[in-house]
PDB file of all heavy atoms in Angstrom:
ATOM      1  N   PHE A   1     140.822 -61.304  25.006  1.00  0.00           N
ATOM      2  CA  PHE A   1     141.378 -60.931  23.747  1.00  0.00           C
ATOM      3  C   PHE A   1     142.405 -61.973  23.228  1.00  0.00           C
ATOM      4  O   PHE A   1     142.518 -61.990  21.960  1.00  0.00           O
ATOM      5  CB  PHE A   1     142.027 -59.555  23.889  1.00  0.00           C
ATOM      6  CG  PHE A   1     143.421 -59.541  24.688  1.00  0.00           C
ATOM      7  CD1 PHE A   1     144.540 -59.512  23.926  1.00  0.00           C
ATOM      8  CD2 PHE A   1     143.390 -59.704  25.986  1.00  0.00           C
ATOM      9  CE1 PHE A   1     145.809 -59.525  24.564  1.00  0.00           C
ATOM     10  CE2 PHE A   1     144.647 -59.727  26.653  1.00  0.00           C
ATOM     11  CZ  PHE A   1     145.861 -59.629  25.953  1.00  0.00           C
ATOM     12  N   CYS A   2     143.016 -62.740  23.973  1.00  0.00           N
ATOM     13  CA  CYS A   2     144.032 -63.622  23.431  1.00  0.00           C
ATOM     14  C   CYS A   2     143.587 -65.079  23.619  1.00  0.00           C
ATOM     15  O   CYS A   2     144.459 -66.048  23.664  1.00  0.00           O
ATOM     16  CB  CYS A   2     145.345 -63.430  24.134  1.00  0.00           C
ATOM     17  SG  CYS A   2     145.432 -63.695  25.849  1.00  0.00           S
ATOM     18  N   SER A   3     142.317 -65.379  23.720  1.00  0.00           N
ATOM     19  CA  SER A   3     141.794 -66.758  23.825  1.00  0.00           C
ATOM     20  C   SER A   3     141.129 -67.217  22.584  1.00  0.00           C
ATOM     21  O   SER A   3     139.914 -66.742  22.352  1.00  0.00           O
ATOM     22  CB  SER A   3     140.801 -66.836  24.999  1.00  0.00           C
ATOM     23  OG  SER A   3     140.180 -68.128  24.978  1.00  0.00           O
ATOM     24  N   PRO A   4     141.747 -67.952  21.770  1.00  0.00           N
ATOM     25  CA  PRO A   4     141.138 -68.484  20.429  1.00  0.00           C
ATOM     26  C   PRO A   4     139.795 -69.257  20.797  1.00  0.00           C
ATOM     27  O   PRO A   4     138.774 -69.035  20.043  1.00  0.00           O
ATOM     28  CB  PRO A   4     142.109 -69.264  19.743  1.00  0.00           C
ATOM     29  CG  PRO A   4     143.414 -68.987  20.433  1.00  0.00           C
ATOM     30  CD  PRO A   4     143.082 -68.464  21.813  1.00  0.00           C
ATOM     31  N   ASN A   5     139.858 -69.973  21.775  1.00  0.00           N
ATOM     32  CA  ASN A   5     138.674 -70.821  22.159  1.00  0.00           C
ATOM     33  C   ASN A   5     137.571 -69.849  22.741  1.00  0.00           C
ATOM     34  O   ASN A   5     136.297 -70.135  22.407  1.00  0.00           O
ATOM     35  CB  ASN A   5     139.015 -71.859  23.269  1.00  0.00           C
ATOM     36  CG  ASN A   5     139.672 -73.052  22.644  1.00  0.00           C
ATOM     37  OD1 ASN A   5     139.393 -73.385  21.468  1.00  0.00           O
ATOM     38  ND2 ASN A   5     140.511 -73.722  23.397  1.00  0.00           N
ATOM     39  N   GLY A   6     137.895 -68.848  23.386  1.00  0.00           N
ATOM     40  CA  GLY A   6     136.894 -67.879  23.844  1.00  0.00           C
ATOM     41  C   GLY A   6     136.257 -67.064  22.675  1.00  0.00           C
ATOM     42  O   GLY A   6     135.038 -66.902  22.647  1.00  0.00           O
ATOM     43  N   LEU A   7     137.044 -66.789  21.679  1.00  0.00           N
ATOM     44  CA  LEU A   7     136.612 -66.180  20.458  1.00  0.00           C
ATOM     45  C   LEU A   7     135.623 -67.060  19.693  1.00  0.00           C
ATOM     46  O   LEU A   7     134.562 -66.636  19.270  1.00  0.00           O
ATOM     47  CB  LEU A   7     137.725 -65.670  19.589  1.00  0.00           C
ATOM     48  CG  LEU A   7     137.387 -65.192  18.160  1.00  0.00           C
ATOM     49  CD1 LEU A   7     136.566 -63.933  18.368  1.00  0.00           C
ATOM     50  CD2 LEU A   7     138.599 -64.847  17.395  1.00  0.00           C
ATOM     51  N   THR A   8     135.990 -68.356  19.585  1.00  0.00           N
ATOM     52  CA  THR A   8     135.100 -69.289  18.985  1.00  0.00           C
ATOM     53  C   THR A   8     133.815 -69.466  19.668  1.00  0.00           C
ATOM     54  O   THR A   8     132.771 -69.547  19.054  1.00  0.00           O
ATOM     55  CB  THR A   8     135.865 -70.646  18.826  1.00  0.00           C
ATOM     56  OG1 THR A   8     137.042 -70.434  18.126  1.00  0.00           O
ATOM     57  CG2 THR A   8     135.018 -71.661  18.065  1.00  0.00           C
ATOM     58  N   LEU A   9     133.945 -69.555  21.044  1.00  0.00           N
ATOM     59  CA  LEU A   9     132.688 -69.662  21.822  1.00  0.00           C
ATOM     60  C   LEU A   9     131.790 -68.396  21.609  1.00  0.00           C
ATOM     61  O   LEU A   9     130.559 -68.569  21.411  1.00  0.00           O
ATOM     62  CB  LEU A   9     133.111 -69.739  23.331  1.00  0.00           C
ATOM     63  CG  LEU A   9     131.910 -69.744  24.308  1.00  0.00           C
ATOM     64  CD1 LEU A   9     130.983 -70.826  24.064  1.00  0.00           C
ATOM     65  CD2 LEU A   9     132.561 -69.835  25.770  1.00  0.00           C
ATOM     66  N   ALA A  10     132.385 -67.231  21.643  1.00  0.00           N
ATOM     67  CA  ALA A  10     131.605 -66.002  21.395  1.00  0.00           C
ATOM     68  C   ALA A  10     131.001 -66.044  19.996  1.00  0.00           C
ATOM     69  O   ALA A  10     129.794 -65.671  19.840  1.00  0.00           O
ATOM     70  CB  ALA A  10     132.500 -64.710  21.463  1.00  0.00           C
ATOM     71  N   SER A  11     131.690 -66.552  18.995  1.00  0.00           N
ATOM     72  CA  SER A  11     131.088 -66.607  17.560  1.00  0.00           C
ATOM     73  C   SER A  11     130.008 -67.629  17.576  1.00  0.00           C
ATOM     74  O   SER A  11     128.873 -67.289  16.972  1.00  0.00           O
ATOM     75  CB  SER A  11     132.244 -67.038  16.697  1.00  0.00           C
ATOM     76  OG  SER A  11     131.706 -67.274  15.465  1.00  0.00           O
ATOM     77  N   LYS A  12     130.107 -68.746  18.230  1.00  0.00           N
ATOM     78  CA  LYS A  12     128.999 -69.747  18.302  1.00  0.00           C
ATOM     79  C   LYS A  12     127.755 -69.153  18.969  1.00  0.00           C
ATOM     80  O   LYS A  12     126.612 -69.415  18.515  1.00  0.00           O
ATOM     81  CB  LYS A  12     129.461 -71.016  18.970  1.00  0.00           C
ATOM     82  CG  LYS A  12     130.638 -71.801  18.237  1.00  0.00           C
ATOM     83  CD  LYS A  12     130.189 -72.435  17.023  1.00  0.00           C
ATOM     84  CE  LYS A  12     131.296 -73.264  16.451  1.00  0.00           C
ATOM     85  NZ  LYS A  12     130.957 -73.815  15.110  1.00  0.00           N
ATOM     86  N   MET A  13     127.987 -68.450  20.036  1.00  0.00           N
ATOM     87  CA  MET A  13     126.876 -67.835  20.759  1.00  0.00           C
ATOM     88  C   MET A  13     126.222 -66.849  19.902  1.00  0.00           C
ATOM     89  O   MET A  13     124.970 -66.694  19.882  1.00  0.00           O
ATOM     90  CB  MET A  13     127.388 -67.282  22.121  1.00  0.00           C
ATOM     91  CG  MET A  13     126.210 -66.841  23.030  1.00  0.00           C
ATOM     92  SD  MET A  13     125.233 -68.268  23.626  1.00  0.00           S
ATOM     93  CE  MET A  13     126.362 -69.006  24.768  1.00  0.00           C
ATOM     94  N   SER A  14     127.037 -65.907  19.275  1.00  0.00           N
ATOM     95  CA  SER A  14     126.499 -64.927  18.379  1.00  0.00           C
ATOM     96  C   SER A  14     125.612 -65.543  17.276  1.00  0.00           C
ATOM     97  O   SER A  14     124.562 -65.016  16.953  1.00  0.00           O
ATOM     98  CB  SER A  14     127.546 -64.039  17.817  1.00  0.00           C
ATOM     99  OG  SER A  14     127.070 -62.993  17.078  1.00  0.00           O
ATOM    100  N   LYS A  15     126.074 -66.642  16.727  1.00  0.00           N
ATOM    101  CA  LYS A  15     125.278 -67.223  15.552  1.00  0.00           C
ATOM    102  C   LYS A  15     124.087 -67.864  16.171  1.00  0.00           C
ATOM    103  O   LYS A  15     122.975 -67.815  15.472  1.00  0.00           O
ATOM    104  CB  LYS A  15     126.161 -68.343  14.960  1.00  0.00           C
ATOM    105  CG  LYS A  15     127.230 -67.752  14.101  1.00  0.00           C
ATOM    106  CD  LYS A  15     128.124 -68.854  13.516  1.00  0.00           C
ATOM    107  CE  LYS A  15     129.230 -68.220  12.666  1.00  0.00           C
ATOM    108  NZ  LYS A  15     130.203 -69.168  12.227  1.00  0.00           N
ATOM    109  N   ALA A  16     124.019 -68.390  17.306  1.00  0.00           N
ATOM    110  CA  ALA A  16     122.787 -68.913  17.957  1.00  0.00           C
ATOM    111  C   ALA A  16     121.825 -67.836  18.153  1.00  0.00           C
ATOM    112  O   ALA A  16     120.614 -67.923  17.955  1.00  0.00           O
ATOM    113  CB  ALA A  16     123.139 -69.682  19.263  1.00  0.00           C
ATOM    114  N   PHE A  17     122.300 -66.605  18.615  1.00  0.00           N
ATOM    115  CA  PHE A  17     121.414 -65.473  18.847  1.00  0.00           C
ATOM    116  C   PHE A  17     120.924 -64.928  17.567  1.00  0.00           C
ATOM    117  O   PHE A  17     119.722 -64.575  17.493  1.00  0.00           O
ATOM    118  CB  PHE A  17     122.158 -64.390  19.647  1.00  0.00           C
ATOM    119  CG  PHE A  17     121.984 -64.480  21.266  1.00  0.00           C
ATOM    120  CD1 PHE A  17     122.410 -65.604  21.909  1.00  0.00           C
ATOM    121  CD2 PHE A  17     121.185 -63.572  21.797  1.00  0.00           C
ATOM    122  CE1 PHE A  17     122.233 -65.731  23.183  1.00  0.00           C
ATOM    123  CE2 PHE A  17     120.924 -63.763  23.205  1.00  0.00           C
ATOM    124  CZ  PHE A  17     121.470 -64.803  23.919  1.00  0.00           C
ATOM    125  N   ALA A  18     121.723 -64.918  16.508  1.00  0.00           N
ATOM    126  CA  ALA A  18     121.256 -64.451  15.229  1.00  0.00           C
ATOM    127  C   ALA A  18     120.124 -65.254  14.720  1.00  0.00           C
ATOM    128  O   ALA A  18     119.125 -64.741  14.122  1.00  0.00           O
ATOM    129  CB  ALA A  18     122.397 -64.292  14.265  1.00  0.00           C
ATOM    130  N   LYS A  19     120.251 -66.527  14.915  1.00  0.00           N
ATOM    131  CA  LYS A  19     119.239 -67.489  14.530  1.00  0.00           C
ATOM    132  C   LYS A  19     117.899 -67.358  15.309  1.00  0.00           C
ATOM    133  O   LYS A  19     116.818 -67.316  14.837  1.00  0.00           O
ATOM    134  CB  LYS A  19     119.770 -68.908  14.627  1.00  0.00           C
ATOM    135  CG  LYS A  19     118.772 -70.023  14.308  1.00  0.00           C
ATOM    136  CD  LYS A  19     119.425 -71.381  14.428  1.00  0.00           C
ATOM    137  CE  LYS A  19     118.455 -72.431  14.459  1.00  0.00           C
ATOM    138  NZ  LYS A  19     119.051 -73.741  14.748  1.00  0.00           N
ATOM    139  N   ALA A  20     118.062 -67.256  16.678  1.00  0.00           N
ATOM    140  CA  ALA A  20     116.998 -67.173  17.558  1.00  0.00           C
ATOM    141  C   ALA A  20     116.286 -65.823  17.497  1.00  0.00           C
ATOM    142  O   ALA A  20     114.973 -65.781  17.722  1.00  0.00           O
ATOM    143  CB  ALA A  20     117.370 -67.549  18.950  1.00  0.00           C
ATOM    144  N   PHE A  21     117.065 -64.800  17.394  1.00  0.00           N
ATOM    145  CA  PHE A  21     116.536 -63.440  17.479  1.00  0.00           C
ATOM    146  C   PHE A  21     116.872 -62.614  16.261  1.00  0.00           C
ATOM    147  O   PHE A  21     117.719 -61.633  16.334  1.00  0.00           O
ATOM    148  CB  PHE A  21     116.982 -62.762  18.726  1.00  0.00           C
ATOM    149  CG  PHE A  21     116.734 -63.522  19.955  1.00  0.00           C
ATOM    150  CD1 PHE A  21     117.715 -64.064  20.733  1.00  0.00           C
ATOM    151  CD2 PHE A  21     115.411 -63.807  20.405  1.00  0.00           C
ATOM    152  CE1 PHE A  21     117.554 -64.887  21.812  1.00  0.00           C
ATOM    153  CE2 PHE A  21     115.137 -64.521  21.549  1.00  0.00           C
ATOM    154  CZ  PHE A  21     116.193 -65.116  22.211  1.00  0.00           C
ATOM    155  N   PRO A  22     116.451 -62.905  15.079  1.00  0.00           N
ATOM    156  CA  PRO A  22     116.935 -62.309  13.833  1.00  0.00           C
ATOM    157  C   PRO A  22     116.600 -60.807  13.706  1.00  0.00           C
ATOM    158  O   PRO A  22     117.226 -60.071  12.999  1.00  0.00           O
ATOM    159  CB  PRO A  22     116.230 -63.067  12.744  1.00  0.00           C
ATOM    160  CG  PRO A  22     115.033 -63.758  13.392  1.00  0.00           C
ATOM    161  CD  PRO A  22     115.478 -63.975  14.763  1.00  0.00           C
ATOM    162  N   ASP A  23     115.665 -60.388  14.516  1.00  0.00           N
ATOM    163  CA  ASP A  23     115.214 -58.928  14.442  1.00  0.00           C
ATOM    164  C   ASP A  23     115.992 -58.092  15.486  1.00  0.00           C
ATOM    165  O   ASP A  23     115.744 -56.853  15.461  1.00  0.00           O
ATOM    166  CB  ASP A  23     113.680 -58.840  14.632  1.00  0.00           C
ATOM    167  CG  ASP A  23     112.957 -59.454  13.525  1.00  0.00           C
ATOM    168  OD1 ASP A  23     113.436 -59.530  12.396  1.00  0.00           O
ATOM    169  OD2 ASP A  23     111.754 -59.968  13.741  1.00  0.00           O
ATOM    170  N   GLN A  24     116.808 -58.663  16.284  1.00  0.00           N
ATOM    171  CA  GLN A  24     117.557 -57.967  17.316  1.00  0.00           C
ATOM    172  C   GLN A  24     118.886 -57.514  16.718  1.00  0.00           C
ATOM    173  O   GLN A  24     119.465 -58.272  15.872  1.00  0.00           O
ATOM    174  CB  GLN A  24     117.780 -58.790  18.509  1.00  0.00           C
ATOM    175  CG  GLN A  24     116.445 -59.221  19.224  1.00  0.00           C
ATOM    176  CD  GLN A  24     115.655 -58.120  19.694  1.00  0.00           C
ATOM    177  OE1 GLN A  24     116.120 -57.121  20.307  1.00  0.00           O
ATOM    178  NE2 GLN A  24     114.372 -58.102  19.477  1.00  0.00           N
ATOM    179  N   ARG A  25     119.370 -56.332  17.223  1.00  0.00           N
ATOM    180  CA  ARG A  25     120.586 -55.858  16.677  1.00  0.00           C
ATOM    181  C   ARG A  25     121.834 -56.666  17.236  1.00  0.00           C
ATOM    182  O   ARG A  25     121.904 -56.931  18.516  1.00  0.00           O
ATOM    183  CB  ARG A  25     120.819 -54.364  17.092  1.00  0.00           C
ATOM    184  CG  ARG A  25     122.091 -53.761  16.641  1.00  0.00           C
ATOM    185  CD  ARG A  25     122.141 -52.293  17.002  1.00  0.00           C
ATOM    186  NE  ARG A  25     123.535 -51.801  16.632  1.00  0.00           N
ATOM    187  CZ  ARG A  25     124.118 -50.923  17.354  1.00  0.00           C
ATOM    188  NH1 ARG A  25     123.561 -50.349  18.391  1.00  0.00           N
ATOM    189  NH2 ARG A  25     125.325 -50.527  16.989  1.00  0.00           N
TER     190      ARG A  25
END
């Protein structure tokens, strides 16, 4: 919760998944 770098990493991973799996929730 208090790691800005962890949040950025989560965001980058989420964007990669949205690109790779656009039909997944």
